[in-house]
Amino acid sequence: MLHPFQCLLGCSVENTGILLAASGSCIYSFDLSYGTLLSKWPPGQTLSALSETLNPATQQVEDHSTGKNVPEILERPQKRPKNSPSREASEITSAEAVLKGTNGDNPESKQFQVSWSAVIKLAGPTKEQRIVAVTEDKCIRVLQLSKQGVLNQLSQRLMPKRPCAVILTPDEKTILCADKFGDVYSLPLIMSSSQEHNILTNGCHDQPSVDERKSLPRVPAATSRTVHTRRNQEALRNQQKETNTVAKKKTLDFRHKLLLGHVSLLTDLACVHLVDETLPPPRQRSYILTSDRDEHIRVSRGIPQTHVIEGYCLGHTEFVAKLCIPTWNTKVLISGGGDDFLLIWDWISGTARQKVDLKSLINEFKTNSATSKGHYNAKEPSSIINNISVSEDGGQSRIAVSGIWDLQRCGRKSEGIEGEVVVTCEGIPALFIFGLDIEAKIQYRGCCPVPGNVVDVTTLNETSTIIYSLDNCHVAFSTTVLASEAEQFSRPMLGYLSFDASGDWEGIGNLEHPITCMEQSAKAQELVMNPGSENERSLRELLYGIENLRKRGQEDNE
């Protein structure tokens, strides 16, 4: 399987456009002018090279900590009981973990959990070209993008829970991080030298040190399956009672602050500054908006008064997955999630201004796709619709909004439209484009069909361009049915839309050749995963996780 790009981020370095695209555990930087591959982070092996490394017959990997070749260790393992893992097994070296996996028995099942975890979020860039990346190992990494498009890591901080949303404050000095347990933390973007020294000394991962390991309760190596006599079984039960104590919670060794919390699973957050003439200079007040699984949108004051709740935006009947505040009108909020509609809010007063029926638009698009009549403004080539492979199961019956992005028009305002709003849904091969006018009313502009399910979108305000990534592994309208291997390698991984001379969106312009070069460069990097049920499930969880927020056991209202 060819791994798609799960995260996109557009940057501009000295008037040079750069696209950051995350595929698996790697982040690739491309030149938007020519489509050339500038760098890859972290610099290392590709997945196919790693597969060769995992095979003892093809290559041997030396463990620098022991000086031994790991494949020889695999060929002649120590004799151990199957059901009684020894203490030495939990202290396996890093090179052995790459080859053996977590439990030391199946090297292929854990081959993707090496050194780096998959990138799940990208935020930024700042004026100094700093990028924030979140990986599946709960680590927040700050990267520096150079003029040549090379990424260098500045810091890494391990959070207590895996972040589900991360943004930068408008002053670009603080990272706001939210996890699914409902907590929102603030972290300085740039760490002090003493904090960096502590993290480098203690490590990024939450593994206990040698002294802490000695103080922790020791877990007996024996189990009920290896102990048979009555006396030994009684002794084992006593040992288990003694060791079932709660270990001391490790404190974070970097500067952070808990700002607020939800009692429900938190899904997204946004931060905005508003001008308030009643305040002293700079006469600004900041707000933090958070959404959760229980249909709530909370409006809280910004740092340092995050304990003050200004109000709520209540109107959703299902989970709220995404929040979007247009940059040109920060008093407007657009929200979507598991409902059949989008809501446009005056979030200051907590009132809903407009409701957009999203389900009818999706049903119309599905009908047009089935009859090969789908189009955008009657200009989209019908060949795009004909190339869509529709799943036999008819796709999902429920809607899950996977993303909402804003794009301000640069000198091309028409019909009172100040900017565009792009909406994508999980498992839907289309971009739904809306226009936001001066009166903060949203107007449906059209639907742009694409050859595959949309995974992520990034907007380039300088050129009024949208770049999107596609899922080339699954068939359109489905998040579970895999496409054939030939279709996966032939289908596009990236696409774009830009304004034409008349002010409409179309996929023809200056980025056509760079996008083609980017796809060729990505395929040349051999971003290949071995097929298998576990790898397919991991990929599906990485690309499609919004629908899992829906509460189980509820009857469908349809």
Side-chain angles (χ1 to χ4, degrees):
M1 294 189 298
L2 188 63
H3 200 296
F5 293 117
Q6 72 267 14
C7 294
L8 297 179
L9 183 63
C11 306
S12 179
V13 182
E14 294 185 354
N15 298 327
T16 300
I18 295 178
L19 176 66
L20 300 181
S23 175
S25 59
C26 298
I27 302 177
Y28 298 85
S29 62
F30 297 97
D31 188 348
L32 285 176
S33 300
Y34 305 99
T36 56
L37 177 62
L38 301 178
S39 69
K40 182 186 74 171
W41 179 92
Q45 295 174 319
T46 60
L47 294 180
S48 60
L50 179 59
S51 300
E52 296 178 357
T53 306
L54 294 171
N55 187 0
T58 58
Q59 187 178 359
Q60 291 186 347
V61 180
E62 181 180 2
D63 186 2
H64 298 286
S65 61
T66 59
K68 298 180 181 180
N69 289 332
V70 179
E72 295 181 358
I73 299 177
L74 288 178
E75 294 175 359
R76 298 179 182 179
Q78 297 180 0
K79 191 173 182 179
R80 298 169 182 166
K82 293 183 179 180
N83 297 323
S84 59
S86 63
R87 187 173 184 271
E88 288 78 11
S90 62
E91 299 176 357
I92 191 170
T93 58
S94 59
E96 293 178 67
V98 172
L99 295 172
K100 293 186 178 181
T102 304
N103 298 324
D105 29 56
N106 189 0
E108 293 184 357
S109 62
K110 301 296 182 182
Q111 63 176 335
F112 300 109
Q113 299 181 4
V114 296
S115 298
W116 307 98
S117 299
V119 179
I120 57 177
K121 296 290 181 182
L122 289 176
T126 65
K127 296 179 181 179
E128 291 78 14
Q129 303 303 326
R130 295 187 176 98
I131 312 297
V132 179
V134 180
T135 51
E136 280 189 327
D137 57 356
K138 303 182 294 184
C139 198
I140 296 179
R141 308 173 190 271
V142 179
L143 310 175
Q144 178 70 54
L145 181 62
S146 65
K147 300 179 181 178
Q148 295 75 26
V150 180
L151 289 171
N152 296 312
Q153 181 170 299
L154 301 179
S155 64
Q156 56 184 14
R157 282 160 279 189
L158 185 73
M159 302 302 296
K161 304 296 180 182
R162 189 171 72 174
C164 64
V166 60
I167 60 173
L168 293 170
T169 55
D171 58 4
E172 299 181 348
K173 296 181 180 179
T174 306
I175 302 173
L176 296 182
C177 167
D179 58 42
K180 289 188 176 180
F181 283 77
D183 296 331
V184 178
Y185 294 88
S186 65
L187 301 86
L189 179 64
I190 302 300
M191 301 174 58
S192 62
S193 58
S194 60
Q195 293 174 352
E196 293 179 1
H197 175 74
N198 292 336
I199 292 182
L200 292 176
T201 304
N202 301 330
C204 177
H205 300 285
D206 55 347
Q207 299 294 336
S209 61
V210 178
D211 296 335
E212 293 175 342
R213 191 179 303 168
K214 292 180 180 180
S215 62
L216 293 176
R218 184 175 179 179
V219 179
T223 63
S224 58
R225 301 178 63 182
T226 59
V227 176
H228 304 287
T229 64
R230 182 179 300 176
R231 179 179 298 178
N232 290 342
Q233 289 179 353
E234 184 178 358
L236 176 60
R237 285 193 292 268
N238 294 332
Q239 292 179 6
Q240 291 176 344
K241 291 180 181 178
E242 294 177 358
T243 56
N244 286 338
T245 57
V246 180
K248 183 179 179 181
K249 185 177 180 181
K250 184 179 179 181
T251 59
L252 302 180
D253 52 1
F254 53 85
R255 182 183 174 187
H256 68 285
K257 184 178 181 181
L258 178 62
L259 300 181
L260 56 92
H262 283 231
V263 295
S264 177
L265 191 149
L266 201 146
T267 56
D268 200 7
L269 79 159
C271 183
V272 63
H273 285 179
L274 293 182
V275 177
D276 191 346
E277 297 295 339
T278 62
L279 298 177
R283 304 186 187 281
Q284 286 186 347
R285 172 164 287 171
S286 61
Y287 297 89
I288 297 177
L289 285 72
T290 52
S291 61
D292 59 26
R293 189 185 183 188
D294 287 341
E295 309 95 32
H296 299 151
I297 300 176
R298 182 198 293 183
V299 180
S300 306
R301 286 192 183 181
I303 303 174
Q305 296 178 322
T306 53
H307 60 280
V308 179
I309 300 177
E310 292 286 343
Y312 288 88
C313 297
L314 303 177
H316 285 277
T317 59
E318 290 285 352
F319 64 89
V320 185
K322 296 298 177 180
L323 303 177
C324 177
I325 298 179
T327 54
W328 63 90
N329 192 344
T330 55
K331 295 183 179 180
V332 175
L333 170 67
I334 306 171
S335 62
D339 289 309
D340 297 337
F341 51 83
L342 298 174
L343 286 179
I344 291 83
W345 301 89
D346 179 1
W347 59 267
I348 299 178
S349 61
T351 57
R353 289 184 172 182
Q354 192 177 358
K355 178 188 290 187
V356 179
D357 187 4
L358 193 59
K359 187 172 184 178
S360 62
L361 301 178
I362 294 178
N363 291 336
E364 180 183 359
F365 167 69
K366 288 182 178 181
T367 303
N368 294 335
S369 299
T371 58
S372 299
K373 294 181 180 179
H375 60 276
Y376 171 73
N377 286 341
K379 294 183 178 181
E380 191 66 28
S382 59
S383 59
I384 294 182
I385 287 295
N386 297 330
N387 291 333
I388 296 179
S389 300
V390 182
S391 172
E392 296 180 357
D393 59 4
Q396 299 176 346
S397 59
R398 293 178 173 178
I399 296 176
V401 176
S402 59
I404 306 175
W405 296 268
D406 64 289
L407 177 65
Q408 187 174 8
R409 292 192 175 188
C410 298
R412 299 178 180 179
K413 299 180 182 179
S414 61
E415 301 177 358
I417 303 296
E418 288 189 314
E420 308 286 339
V421 177
V422 182
V423 179
T424 60
C425 296
E426 203 169 65
I428 301 297
L431 299 171
F432 298 92
I433 301 177
F434 301 86
L436 192 65
D437 59 18
I438 300 176
E439 299 178 356
K441 292 183 179 180
I442 202 166
Q443 303 176 11
Y444 179 58
R445 299 267 295 158
C447 170
C448 177
V450 293
N453 298 334
V454 181
V455 179
D456 197 16
V457 174
T458 185
T459 57
L460 307 177
N461 290 322
E462 295 81 4
T463 57
S464 299
T465 304
I466 300 171
I467 301 179
Y468 53 88
S469 61
L470 301 174
D471 179 11
N472 55 291
C473 296
H474 298 84
V475 300
F477 295 105
S478 177
T479 61
T480 56
V481 181
L482 289 175
S484 63
E485 185 175 354
E487 290 181 351
Q488 292 180 15
F489 281 86
S490 62
R491 293 166 66 181
M493 301 174 63
L494 294 170
Y496 78 100
L497 288 175
S498 60
F499 278 117
D500 61 7
S502 60
D504 293 327
W505 293 98
E506 64 177 11
I508 301 175
N510 298 328
L511 284 179
E512 185 174 1
H513 177 69
I515 289 293
T516 303
C517 295
M518 292 179 197
E519 293 179 350
Q520 295 175 354
S521 301
K523 295 177 180 179
Q525 290 296 314
E526 301 177 350
L527 307 177
V528 181
M529 300 190 310
N530 294 332
S533 58
E534 184 171 348
N535 295 333
E536 294 172 5
R537 183 173 63 254
S538 301
L539 178 62
R540 185 166 60 251
E541 293 175 353
L542 179 62
L543 300 181
Y544 306 109
I546 304 298
E547 180 61 31
N548 295 333
L549 296 174
R550 196 180 302 275
K551 298 178 181 179
R552 307 304 179 192
Q554 293 183 351
E555 296 182 358
D556 195 354
N557 296 327
E558 296 180 348

